[in-house]
Amino acid sequence: MLSPPYLQLSYVLRTLVEIPEDELAKLTQIFQPVSCKTGEFFIRAGEVPSKIGFVVAGIFRLYYVDAAGTEFTKSFCPENHFLTAYSALILKQPAQFFITALEDSLLLVADYSQYVQLCAEHPCWQAVNHKLVEALFIKKERREAELLLDDATTRYQKFLQEYPNLEHRVKQYHIASYLGISPVSLSRIRKILQPN
């Protein structure tokens, strides 16, 4: 019988494709529970990542830091999402952004090489990867379109749709950074959108 974190992971994976029970059991062999305290890094910019995580509880922020020290939020990763610096992981290159916990969090973490080996053993995992890559591509394309085409108010409304209940869990300046606006501008937008 799978413990709750693995049941959570298996439930999410089974929303993507059908996975045999014996294949799901293999997750317990390669994914291990890891706790992250608030402010702790999962990946630092400049490191070559070697692991992939699944967020059981908590939330992570992915962000860039420019030469002047300004932070730019790339995205947020709440429960039931996979977490890594994908291109750096695949290309075996240093990550360009940081991933840090915004809350005390619980992950299931696997060494990427073990995950690749698992994927080679049964076609269900290749189907899982295909679905995950599709989802990442769609998310990336939508994010680019929002930054290029939408005004700040529309970007904020889409943020609320994509990340329901997140606005009360993360700092407002992190949300503003994600939207590409100042905290003052975000406060103004929120006041306009709040019902009287």
Side-chain angles (χ1 to χ4, degrees), residues 101-120:
L102 295 181
E103 297 175 350
D104 289 350
S105 302
L106 175 64
L107 295 161
L108 290 175
V109 178
D111 182 86
Y112 184 63
S113 63
Q114 290 184 308
Y115 180 72
V116 168
Q117 184 177 342
L118 172 70
C119 293

Side-chain angles (χ1 to χ4, degrees), residues 76 152-153 155-157 159-160 167 170-194:
F76 299 98
T153 300
R155 289 200 300 276
Y156 177 62
Q157 291 170 320
F159 163 80
L160 296 177
E167 65 172 325
V170 303
K171 297 184 184 302
Q172 292 303 298
Y173 68 85
H174 287 158
I175 297 173
S177 170
Y178 173 78
L179 299 173
I181 59 177
S182 70
V184 173
S185 296
L186 175 58
S187 180
R188 190 178 303 122
I189 290 168
R190 293 183 72 204
K191 283 179 183 176
I192 292 169
L193 293 177
Q194 281 176 349

Side-chain angles (χ1 to χ4, degrees), residues 58-123:
I59 181 169
F60 290 79
R61 181 171 74 109
L62 291 68
Y63 65 97
Y64 297 94
V65 180
D66 69 10
T70 305
E71 296 181 2
F72 300 91
T73 300
K74 177 183 186 297
S75 63
F76 299 98
C77 190
E79 291 88 354
N80 299 325
H81 288 79
F82 286 92
L83 183 67
T84 192
Y86 286 98
S87 61
L89 183 72
I90 293 165
L91 297 172
K92 296 181 173 61
Q93 294 178 350
Q96 293 186 293
F97 54 85
F98 296 87
I99 301 177
T100 187
L102 295 181
E103 297 175 350
D104 289 350
S105 302
L106 175 64
L107 295 161
L108 290 175
V109 178
D111 182 86
Y112 184 63
S113 63
Q114 290 184 308
Y115 180 72
V116 168
Q117 184 177 342
L118 172 70
C119 293
E121 293 172 359
H122 195 282

